[in-house]
């Protein structure tokens, strides 16, 4: 099963322990995580189900480009990292 890792800076705001859940796409995997941890859903996704602007997701080291459908495939041994995006100036 794919592994999902939330960075420490996210965990300061909402508890998101590392977990393994079933799924073949980023959306399926994240929805499985959010079924167990609904508070994390509102922090990561907006009310339309898209990735929030301040979040970034990587699958096996590659940034997810489709922030709306999150349809990128995830292999059974894949790892999803969920980051709080950094910005500044």
């Amino acid at each position: 099963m794919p592994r999902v890792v939330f960075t420490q800076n996210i965990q300061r705001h909402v508890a998101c322990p590392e977990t393994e859940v079933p799924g073949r796409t980023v959306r399926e995997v994240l929805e499985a995580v959010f079924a167990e941890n609904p508070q994390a859903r509102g922090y990561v996704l907006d009310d339309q189900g898209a990735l929030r602007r301040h979040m970034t997701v990587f699958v096996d080291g590659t940034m997810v480009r489709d922030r709306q459908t999150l349809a990128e495939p995830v292999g059974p041994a894949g790892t999803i990292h969920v980051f709080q995006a950094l910005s500044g100036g």
Side-chain angles (χ1 to χ4, degrees), residues 6-68:
F6 291 84
T7 60
Q8 289 296 321
N9 61 337
I10 293 172
Q11 294 194 43
R12 287 185 295 178
H13 304 284
V14 61
C16 303
E18 183 176 320
T19 188
E20 291 185 7
V21 294
R24 294 182 313 232
T25 66
V26 172
R27 168 79 61 198
E28 289 177 3
V29 171
L30 289 180
E31 289 297 344
V33 170
F34 300 148
E36 298 174 11
N37 187 351
Q39 185 180 13
R41 184 182 216 289
Y43 194 79
V44 175
L45 303 179
D46 65 19
D47 59 346
Q48 302 297 311
L51 196 61
R52 289 190 180 276
R53 254 187 290 162
H54 68 277
M55 304 303 294
T56 302
V57 174
F58 286 79
V59 176
D60 296 329
T62 302
M63 188 168 66
V64 169
R65 298 280 179 204
D66 181 356
R67 301 173 65 83
Q68 301 298 315

